[in-house]
Amino acid sequence: MAVALSLFLSLLALLATYYQAHLQRVHNGKSVKPLIQITLTDDKGLIFIHIQNNGLGPAIVERLTFIKNGQVYHDIKDSLTLNPSHYQHIVVNEAVNKVILPGTYLEVFSKQFDVATENVELDTIRNELATIKLTVEGRDIYDKKIETERDLIWFLRHL
């Protein structure tokens, strides 16, 4: 009887150890999870689109997709009629992945205007950006898929 009881307690302790290891793995995965947010700004002559990592782990961005009028583009310069040398932009695709560390961002589009810039030029950029839907695809360090999307119609809020 004593042998059976000790075997039962040993087996129970082993199961509890495996369960605790499982809980630790789940906790570790959640504690380094990236939280991706597409941030837009249009203030005092500065217009930008950032992909912000508000989580605790790094985010590996594998692809940016820009959808404009039903057409799919993987580079913002292809979806805009603006001269690409007049604004900052970044390329992300299968060959060029980007890592966003916690608390940092990836600048997808940025344009700083002079104070004397006419509103017509600003409105042109706002109208072009507003027709785009941005999708960010990537993964975390545990190879779990991350995906977020946002319509950029926000740029028309004051027009």
Side-chain angles (χ1 to χ4, degrees):
M1 178 76 170
V3 174
L5 185 59
S6 63
L7 283 174
F8 175 72
L9 289 177
S10 298
L11 183 61
L12 194 60
L14 190 60
L15 289 175
T17 302
Y18 283 129
Y19 182 68
Q20 185 63 35
H22 167 73
L23 290 177
Q24 185 66 40
R25 275 194 304 272
V26 169
H27 171 73
N28 289 347
K30 289 181 180 179
S31 68
V32 294
K33 183 177 180 180
L35 297 172
I36 300 299
Q37 177 182 4
I38 299 171
T39 307
L40 310 176
T41 293
D42 180 3
D43 188 34
K44 299 177 184 163
L46 176 63
I47 295 178
F48 69 68
I49 303 167
H50 285 174
I51 302 169
Q52 178 89 27
N53 183 358
N54 295 323
L56 297 175
I60 303 163
V61 178
E62 297 175 326
R63 178 181 296 135
L64 299 177
T65 305
F66 304 91
I67 302 172
K68 181 177 181 178
N69 301 327
Q71 292 281 358
V72 176
Y73 305 96
H74 295 289
D75 193 346
I76 195 165
K77 70 179 181 174
D78 297 332
S79 63
L80 299 174
T81 60
L82 307 168
N83 185 345
S85 65
H86 292 170
Y87 58 88
Q88 300 292 323
H89 61 283
I90 189 118
V91 176
V92 177
N93 55 37
E94 292 84 13
V96 182
N97 293 340
K98 298 291 181 184
V99 176
I100 307 174
L101 296 176
T104 62
Y105 61 86
L106 180 67
E107 192 170 75
V108 177
F109 174 91
S110 178
K111 174 80 172 148
Q112 176 70 56
F113 293 93
D114 294 331
V115 178
T117 303
E118 294 185 27
N119 282 339
V120 174
E121 189 176 349
L122 284 166
D123 290 345
T124 301
I125 290 181
R126 289 176 182 136
N127 283 323
E128 283 211 39
L129 290 173
T131 61
I132 296 173
K133 180 179 184 178
L134 172 59
T135 302
V136 180
E137 298 174 49
R139 57 187 165 83
D140 65 8
I141 59 173
Y142 288 110
D143 218 22
K144 290 185 181 175
K145 185 177 178 183
I146 301 169
E147 186 171 327
T148 187
E149 63 183 29
R150 183 169 183 184
D151 285 321
L152 304 184
I153 198 156
W154 177 87
F155 285 110
L156 293 181
R157 72 196 186 289
H158 294 306
L159 296 180

